[in-house]
């Protein structure tokens, strides 16, 4: 097992990691089943980094069908102890508009019916993990420091609301989330974050704001073309940031 400095999970619009060289592919099976696709391990700015496309490299898996347990277990099996999640999201509050890159520090889980714990497996211990700070504070600090070193503009903090999907939310649902204190809305933040905690992995999120959430923008219909264009723009500095983070 080689030393992996950092594992990155890519969301919608991020199906590979730019500037990853000397890439090898790993098809990993876990006790929880098969992950979303092959894990690509390569060198980024001198560091060995693993990458996994959360939805599959062809975006074939909707949020509620992703095997989050297998994804995280597979990354751990190949030697990763730190995971950076890239999540494509909608923006709710004023500082989280399209093309903003954010590092949230809180989340609220609105999902349902997903396997959300390792404790579903027969014979496993019942885990009551501390989840008051859902993202590992030390890793978050290092993400913020890497952004500062590389000059990548990053919004520090914010609350991520995880919804079921795959449909987008109604105006009323987003209004409720705003009242609840959510700044961002996405479909894949949970149970990924809590499973990482149960597995003992350090875990942080970089939220890529692709569009205004329902009722928060100019009222135009959200299109995938708009989403992908905004993701590309917001992601331009990610290779340098991730490479710096992997060194830390």
């Amino acid at each position: 097992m080689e030393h992996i400095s950092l594992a990155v999970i890519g969301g919608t619009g991020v199906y590979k990691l730019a500037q990853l060289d000397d890439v090898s592919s790993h098809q990993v099976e876990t006790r929880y089943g098969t992950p979303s696709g092959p894990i690509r391990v390569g060198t980024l700015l001198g560091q060995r980094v693993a990458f996994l496309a959360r939805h599959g490299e062809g975006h074939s898996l909707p949020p509620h069908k992703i095997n989050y347990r297998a994804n995280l277990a597979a990354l751990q099996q190949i030697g990763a102890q730190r995971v950076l999640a890239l999540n494509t999201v909608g923006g709710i509050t004023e500082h989280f508009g399209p093309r903003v890159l954010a590092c949230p520090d809180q989340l609220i889980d609105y999902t349902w019916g997903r396997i959300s714990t390792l404790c579903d497996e027969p014979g496993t211990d019942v885990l009551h993990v501390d989840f008051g700070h859902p993202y590992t504070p030390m890793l978050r600090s290092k993400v913020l420091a890497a952004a500062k070193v590389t000059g990548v503009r990053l919004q520090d903090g914010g609350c991520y609301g995880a919804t079921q999907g795959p449909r987008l939310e109604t105006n009323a649902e987003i209004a409720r989330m705003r009242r609840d204190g959510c700044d961002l809305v996405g479909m894949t933040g949970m149970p990924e974050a809590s499973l990482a905690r149960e597995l003992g992995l350090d875990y942080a999120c970089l939220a890529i704001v692709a569009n205004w959430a329902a009722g928060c923008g100019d009222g135009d219909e959200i299109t995938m073309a708009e989403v992908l264009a905004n993701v590309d723009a917001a992601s331009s500095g990610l290779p340098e940031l991730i490479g710096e983070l992997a060194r830390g």
Side-chain angles (χ1 to χ4, degrees):
M1 184 187 303
E2 67 175 306
H3 173 70
I4 305 295
S5 298
L6 181 71
V8 178
I9 301 177
T12 299
V14 185
Y15 307 116
K16 62 181 180 179
L17 193 56
Q19 300 182 21
L20 196 65
D21 298 320
D22 188 26
V23 177
S24 59
S25 297
H26 302 261
Q27 299 281 353
V28 182
E29 288 295 322
T30 79
R31 65 177 297 185
Y32 308 109
T34 305
S36 296
I39 298 173
R40 311 292 187 184
V41 178
T43 302
L44 179 65
L45 302 179
Q47 304 299 315
R48 295 298 280 173
V49 173
F51 179 83
L52 174 64
R54 185 186 287 111
H55 296 276
E57 293 179 348
H59 199 96
S60 58
L61 296 170
H64 65 295
K65 291 294 187 180
I66 293 167
N67 191 336
Y68 295 94
R69 297 191 302 174
N71 285 352
L72 290 164
L75 292 171
Q76 189 177 57
Q77 282 177 209
I78 67 166
Q81 288 300 314
R82 302 190 301 163
V83 177
L84 179 67
L86 306 180
N87 296 85
T88 301
V89 301
I92 297 175
T93 55
E94 61 178 328
H95 297 300
F96 298 88
R99 304 195 176 192
V100 165
L101 194 62
C103 189
D105 58 357
Q106 278 297 327
L107 64 79
I108 298 176
D109 186 8
Y110 300 93
T111 65
W112 51 270
R114 303 182 183 188
I115 300 176
S116 59
T117 178
L118 307 181
C119 303
D120 266 15
E121 295 302 301
T124 57
D125 294 333
V126 177
L127 301 172
H128 298 288
V129 295
D130 187 325
F131 203 54
H133 298 283
Y135 305 108
T136 307
M138 181 59 72
L139 186 56
R140 273 196 78 253
S141 296
K142 290 185 176 182
V143 172
L144 296 171
K148 186 174 182 179
V149 168
T150 56
V152 174
R153 187 173 180 180
L154 187 61
Q155 183 71 33
D156 179 7
C159 181
Y160 178 121
T163 59
Q164 182 69 1
R167 67 165 177 84
L168 299 176
E169 300 73 31
T170 67
N171 288 18
E173 287 169 334
I174 293 298
R176 179 189 66 163
M177 294 179 72
R178 183 193 292 269
R179 292 192 297 270
D180 287 349
C182 294
D183 300 289
L184 303 159
V185 56
M187 302 172 188
T188 55
M190 286 291 284
E192 194 173 271
S194 59
L195 290 168
R197 184 64 50 87
E198 288 188 353
L199 284 165
L201 296 169
D202 290 336
Y203 181 92
C205 168
L206 275 180
I208 304 166
V209 184
N211 53 270
W212 284 113
C216 298
D218 55 16
D220 291 341
E221 182 178 348
I222 298 167
T223 67
M224 279 307 296
E226 172 194 4
V227 165
L228 295 177
N230 289 338
V231 169
D232 284 345
S235 303
S236 60
L238 283 181
E240 290 76 17
L241 189 158
I242 291 169
E244 180 65 27
L245 178 62
R247 278 197 287 264

